[in-house]
């Protein structure tokens, strides 16, 4: 069976029109609510389904006006998720909103696009597959589902091994860093697996491979390494972890594997750091997840999980169904799922190619450096992110006497519209608070410079900048004021001459 054919989707009978242009896809807005938006909406409709119907234009305008209270997606620097795609891709997605991806037999072309994505991503991660062979993997709703599937595969394979050896198999564990994303905690809770966390430390905010090895025992189903920590974007040392674990396995007669959570870094490392060994080039790496909706450059709702080989995915986890009109395999936590995100992923892979992805990632890194250098010039921050990692800037205040990181976060949103989250570091460094600005593909150089200016303004409001420090934005305002004075004086002079 070719597991790359696995998928899932969403039933729909809606007829979606084919828009001819971007303007057809996203209606333009103005600052004044229409008469439809001003129409009376009973308060009970907030919690109960209205008794009577509402005109479609009225419903649209009411919802649209309420949604204006949301933050602007492009200014949401808390999120790694893509917020902008090209018009052609938007149209493709609109045209496929009504396709339920689980119907493989009914939508064979969409199925082929899914399988091509799996194969392309697997080869990007240096999977050992022949030119005409298919990779083992599937599309998911995001990396959370991908991690659940990978974890289940590890657990089932571990259980089968211990059953065959006549040993107890009821206390599996996973070793990971305290900086792990919450989906790992969900997996451990939902599927009854002990989660062993390696504490981080001040100045070292990711999992220490040596400390991780100390927590491994014969009940460890895998060690999870993170390629791009949510907290500061740093890549964990998967190569060192692999080498240490090889020694540990040989010493104890174990075969403990590695899973790489590359949700954020999986589409970054191959293009910015191609020599970095973190993927299937390392023998103990058995599966990798990546988020297509992060640096894969697709809107929210798509992830991928790739296995090293067929033997790393226990066959009893794959179900076969026939009630959609044909026999087909499925290995997903959900069933129905829209096909538009998968189509969008395929569009990005073939449109951009390796050259285009490299260009995008280089631009993201350059803009992250603009933000980093601007913050360093203020003299107010410690930079906690690494230059070689996911394109983001994590930073903390050197002095919190006139306001802390949470105050800066609040003021940036209230005064300037930026969403820059503030949060404490994980276990082992909880006393360190950090601000984080994620630099995505749609974050331009101009936006980077504007963010720095707005942070400078907030610092000045809080009295954190010395009297001799003049933010660039203040300098610009003064220059404009000077030019206005010069223009006025010049105009007066010309009037006198004309008289």
């Amino acid at each position: 069976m070719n597991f790359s054919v696995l998928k899932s989707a969403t039933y729909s009978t809606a007829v979606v029109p084919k828009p001819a242009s971007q303007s057809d896809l996203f209606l333009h807005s103005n600052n004044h609510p229409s008469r439809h938006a001003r129409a009376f909406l009973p308060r009970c409709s907030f919690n109960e389904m209205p008794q009577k119907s509402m005109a479609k234009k009225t419903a649209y305008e009411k919802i649209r006006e309420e949604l204006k209270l949301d933050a602007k997606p492009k200014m949401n620097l808390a999120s790694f998720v893509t917020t902008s795609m090209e018009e052609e891709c938007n149209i493709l997605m609109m045209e496929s909103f009504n396709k339920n991806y689980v119907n493989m037999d009914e939508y064979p072309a969409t199925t082929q696009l899914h399988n091509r994505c799996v194969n392309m991503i697997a080869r990007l991660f240096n999977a050992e597959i022949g030119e005409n062979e298919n990779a083992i993997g599937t599309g998911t709703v995001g990396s959370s589902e991908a991690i659940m599937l990978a974890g289940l595969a590890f657990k089932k394979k571990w259980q089968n091994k211990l059953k065959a050896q006549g040993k107890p198999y009821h206390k599996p564990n996973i070793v990971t860093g305290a900086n792990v994303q919450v989906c790992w905690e969900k997996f451990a809770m939902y599927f009854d697996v002990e989660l062993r966390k390696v504490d981080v430390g001040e100045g070292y905010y990711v999992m220490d491979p040596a400390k991780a090895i100390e927590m491994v025992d014969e009940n460890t189903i895998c060690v999870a390494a993170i390629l791009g920590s949510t907290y500061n974007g740093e890549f964990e040392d998967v190569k060192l972890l692999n080498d240490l674990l090889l020694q540990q396995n040989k010493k104890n007669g174990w075969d403990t594997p590695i899973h790489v959570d590359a949700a954020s870094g999986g589409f970054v490392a191959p293009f910015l750091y191609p020599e970095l060994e973190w993927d299937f080039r390392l023998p103990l790496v058995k599966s990798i997840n990546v988020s297509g909706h992060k640096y894969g450059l697709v809107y929210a709702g798509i992830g991928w999980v790739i296995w090293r080989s067929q033997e790393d995915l226990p066959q009893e986890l794959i179900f076969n169904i026939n009630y959609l009109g044909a026999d087909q395999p499925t290995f997903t936590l959900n069933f129905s799922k829209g096909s538009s995100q998968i189509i969008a992923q395929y569009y990005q892979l073939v449109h951009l190619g390796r050259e285009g992805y490299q260009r995008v990632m280089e631009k993201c890194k350059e803009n992250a450096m603009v933000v980093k250098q601007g913050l360093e010039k203020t003299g107010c921050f410690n930079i906690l992110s690494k230059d070689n990692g996911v394109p983001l800037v994590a930073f903390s205040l050197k002095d919190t006497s006139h306001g802390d990181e949470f105050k800066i976060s609040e003021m940036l949103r209230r005064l300037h519209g930026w969403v820059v989250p503030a949060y404490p570091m994980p276990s082992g460094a909880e006393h360190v608070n950090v601000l984080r600005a994620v630099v995505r593909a749609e974050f331009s150089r101009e936006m980077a410079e504007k963010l720095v200016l707005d942070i400078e303004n907030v610092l000045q409001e809080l009295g954190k900048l010395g009297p001799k420090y003049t933010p660039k934005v203040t300098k610009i305002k003064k220059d404009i004021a000077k030019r206005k004075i010069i223009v006025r004086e010049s105009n007066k002079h010309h009037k006198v001459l004309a008289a």
Side-chain angles (χ1 to χ4, degrees):
M1 181 193 70
N2 173 13
F3 184 65
S4 67
V5 180
L6 299 190
K7 46 248 146 207
S8 55
T10 308
Y11 289 107
S12 175
T13 56
V15 178
V16 179
K18 299 180 180 180
S21 66
Q22 181 82 20
S23 60
D24 295 321
L25 289 168
F26 305 105
L27 299 180
H28 299 293
S29 62
N30 56 55
N31 295 324
H32 307 289
S34 70
R35 61 182 178 84
H36 298 284
R38 294 195 299 269
F40 175 71
L41 185 63
R43 186 170 181 80
C44 65
S45 64
F46 292 160
N47 301 307
E48 295 181 9
M49 188 174 179
Q51 291 295 324
K52 295 183 178 181
S53 300
M54 181 186 297
K56 59 184 180 181
K57 185 68 175 178
T58 302
Y60 166 76
E61 290 288 356
K62 292 295 296 184
I63 296 169
R64 183 163 167 260
E65 286 299 314
E66 190 166 351
L67 289 175
K68 287 181 179 180
L69 297 174
D70 283 343
K72 294 180 180 179
K74 280 193 175 183
M75 297 182 74
N76 179 11
L77 306 187
S79 177
F80 291 81
V81 175
T82 298
T83 62
S84 179
M85 297 185 72
E86 293 172 324
E87 178 181 0
E88 290 78 6
C89 194
N90 287 328
I91 294 171
L92 282 173
M93 294 183 73
M94 286 289 290
E95 293 173 346
S96 57
F97 276 158
N98 58 350
K99 288 183 181 180
N100 186 358
Y101 189 56
V102 77
N103 298 108
M104 291 177 267
D105 194 53
E106 288 85 346
Y107 305 121
T110 302
T111 297
Q112 285 300 315
L113 299 190
H114 167 277
N115 296 344
R116 292 174 195 171
C117 288
V118 169
N119 285 320
M120 290 179 187
I121 295 170
R123 286 175 170 81
L124 187 65
F125 296 165
N126 293 291
E128 297 177 352
I129 49 179
E131 184 178 348
N132 297 317
E133 291 182 330
N134 287 314
I136 310 302
T138 189
T140 59
V141 173
S143 275
S144 291
E145 184 188 7
I147 285 169
M148 302 283 177
L149 298 179
L152 285 171
F154 282 120
K155 182 180 179 182
K156 179 57 68 175
K157 189 172 182 180
W158 171 83
Q159 286 178 327
N160 291 344
K161 180 186 69 175
L162 265 64
K163 284 180 183 178
Q165 296 173 351
K167 296 181 179 180
Y169 54 89
H170 302 295
K171 294 184 178 181
N173 69 72
I174 286 179
V175 176
T176 189
N179 57 315
V180 72
Q181 214 266 1
V182 70
C183 60
W184 285 98
E185 298 182 36
K186 290 181 180 180
F187 170 80
M189 178 62 69
Y190 296 164
F191 298 105
D192 200 20
V193 176
E194 178 190 358
L195 190 63
R196 298 180 175 180
K197 295 182 181 180
V198 179
D199 280 351
V200 302
E202 187 168 355
Y204 194 89
Y205 301 108
V206 293
M207 179 179 70
D208 184 335
K211 292 181 180 179
I213 296 301
E214 295 174 0
M215 292 187 174
V216 174
D217 60 26
E218 65 176 343
N219 292 325
T220 302
I221 64 176
C222 79
V223 181
I226 304 174
L227 194 78
S229 171
T230 301
Y231 288 87
N232 71 340
E234 187 173 349
F235 293 162
E236 293 183 343
D237 194 338
V238 188
K239 176 67 165 60
L240 178 58
L241 176 65
N242 178 85
D243 294 346
L244 293 176
L245 194 53
L246 279 172
Q247 297 174 16
Q248 180 89 317
N249 286 345
K250 184 177 180 180
K251 175 183 176 181
N252 296 290
W254 300 338
D255 56 359
T256 308
I258 294 173
H259 174 86
V260 179
D261 179 357
S264 299
F267 278 108
V268 175
F271 304 108
L272 291 183
Y273 318 105
E275 302 305 317
L276 181 66
E277 294 183 45
W278 63 274
D279 52 19
F280 292 120
R281 286 170 288 184
L282 303 176
L284 291 183
V285 174
K286 303 300 182 181
S287 55
I288 300 171
N289 69 276
V290 64
S291 292
H293 58 221
K294 293 182 180 177
Y295 290 95
L297 309 180
V298 179
Y299 294 135
I302 183 66
W304 303 92
V305 57
I306 310 293
W307 283 271
R308 186 183 195 90
S309 66
Q310 184 72 63
E311 67 179 27
D312 295 308
L313 177 61
Q315 289 299 300
E316 56 263 47
L317 293 177
I318 302 171
F319 294 85
N320 288 279
I321 59 172
N322 58 13
Y323 43 77
L324 294 178
D327 289 327
Q328 55 192 52
T330 178
F331 178 37
T332 53
L333 293 183
N334 65 302
F335 190 65
S336 293
K337 182 178 69 177
S339 60
S340 54
Q341 264 76 7
I342 289 170
I343 292 169
Q345 183 73 84
Y346 183 70
Y347 170 88
Q348 294 290 49
L349 291 173
V350 298
H351 165 56
L352 292 173
R354 288 177 179 258
E355 176 189 39
Y357 268 93
Q358 181 175 344
R359 185 171 60 249
V360 170
M361 299 310 149
E362 287 175 348
K363 187 196 78 170
C364 289
K365 183 176 181 179
E366 290 170 3
N367 289 335
M369 293 303 294
V370 170
V371 176
K372 176 195 171 187
Q373 292 166 4
L375 296 178
E376 287 177 328
K377 288 179 181 178
T378 68
C380 295
F381 298 106
N382 293 312
I383 304 299
L384 306 184
S385 49
K386 304 294 184 182
D387 291 347
N388 295 336
V390 174
L392 62 79
V393 184
F395 52 105
S396 64
L397 283 165
K398 294 179 179 179
D399 178 11
T400 59
S401 58
H402 296 285
D404 60 10
E405 290 83 0
F406 297 93
K407 182 63 176 178
I408 289 179
S409 176
E410 183 272 327
M411 290 180 69
L412 280 173
R413 181 160 188 173
R414 175 168 52 85
L415 300 177
H416 303 287
W418 296 105
V419 181
V420 179
Y423 49 85
M425 279 295 193
S427 177
E430 305 97 323
H431 61 287
V432 179
N433 292 327
V434 63
L435 291 151
R436 188 195 66 214
V438 177
V439 177
R440 302 186 300 269
E442 57 271 28
F443 186 82
S444 65
R445 173 67 177 263
E446 292 74 20
M447 291 179 71
E449 293 175 346
K450 180 65 165 60
L451 174 63
V452 172
L453 292 175
D454 290 342
I455 290 174
E456 288 176 342
N457 275 343
V458 168
L459 292 173
Q460 195 169 49
E461 287 274 343
L462 293 173
K464 289 182 176 292
L465 296 176
K468 294 183 179 180
Y469 186 93
T470 305
K472 291 180 182 178
V473 70
T474 305
K475 292 177 181 177
I476 293 171
K477 288 180 178 178
K478 287 183 178 179
D479 288 343
I480 293 174
K482 287 180 181 178
R483 286 198 294 270
K484 287 182 178 178
I485 293 172
I486 292 171
V487 169
R488 284 199 299 268
E489 293 299 322
S490 178
N491 288 340
K492 289 179 182 178
H493 179 66
H494 284 295
K495 287 181 180 178
V496 170
L497 292 177

